[in-house]
Amino acid sequence: MRSWSIVAVIALGAAVVWGAAGSGNLLKNGGFEQGKSGWLFYKIVLPAEMGVSNSAAHSGTNCAVMSGGKGFLHSSVFDVTAGKTYTLRAWIKGDGKMDLGILWWAKYDDEHIAMASPHWQHMEKPVAAQGAWKQVTASYTAPADATRAYVRIVVTDGKVFIDDVTISG
């Protein structure tokens, strides 16, 4: 009888962990534990740089670090539901400024790319990173024609460490 109780507790624990992992973050590698995998960096104003730090993470081992001029960091594309509200969160620290937003797409596949309207939703003004980790949160509603999206993180000056990026909806 006792062995069945232990098996039931283990099975329930596995179900809770599975549910939490399967229902949360729409992003791949939001904690940068697999380095830059799932993210693309674009230099907009030189000398923008992006790397992965294993000495300053908010959680886990790694975090992203962007510095220099202006740079865009784009997540992998994920599916969205038109009219649904999505909450975007990231932990930041440093001495620069960053903006957090979503680019919406009506079509985004191997053959066609079409912007949704509005295409880019982001914070009203850049957020100043500070010495200690702080969470930045923003919510956006997918446009009526949106089917896919990706997260855009913009660092405009200074150095910003970024970790634990999540989007849920």
Side-chain angles (χ1 to χ4, degrees):
M1 180 79 100
R2 185 173 189 143
S3 63
W4 283 107
S5 298
I6 293 170
V7 170
V9 168
I10 292 170
L12 179 60
V16 170
V17 171
W18 177 265
S23 62
N25 197 359
L26 297 173
L27 297 181
K28 296 176 184 173
N29 195 27
F32 302 94
E33 295 307 309
Q34 288 80 44
K36 298 177 187 178
S37 176
W39 295 90
L40 295 174
F41 177 70
Y42 299 93
K43 294 179 182 186
I44 306 304
V45 177
L46 295 176
E49 297 295 330
M50 185 269 176
V52 174
S53 170
N54 62 5
S55 63
H58 173 257
S59 70
T61 304
N62 295 332
C63 67
V65 58
M66 295 172 63
S67 62
K70 184 177 184 178
F72 291 171
L73 187 59
H74 289 177
S75 73
S76 297
V77 176
F78 52 90
D79 294 332
V80 296
T81 301
K84 188 172 183 177
T85 299
Y86 293 86
T87 301
L88 181 55
R89 292 181 176 89
W91 286 87
I92 64 169
K93 76 172 188 172
D95 62 6
K97 293 181 181 173
M98 62 86 66
D99 191 1
L100 191 60
I102 299 177
L103 285 116
W104 305 102
W105 299 93
K107 234 180 195 327
Y108 194 104
D109 58 38
D110 293 338
E111 297 179 25
H112 304 92
I113 296 177
M115 290 183 236
S117 181
H119 176 56
W120 164 234
Q121 291 179 321
H122 60 101
M123 303 171 93
E124 290 182 24
K125 60 183 181 177
V127 174
Q130 299 171 345
W133 284 104
K134 71 177 181 179
Q135 189 177 48
V136 178
T137 303
S139 293
Y140 307 105
T141 300
D145 58 343
T147 61
R148 305 196 81 197
Y150 57 78
V151 170
R152 174 183 277 176
I153 298 169
V154 181
V155 171
T156 55
D157 63 60
K159 180 186 272 188
V160 179
F161 294 88
I162 304 149
D163 204 0
D164 301 324
V165 183
T166 63
I167 186 160
S168 58

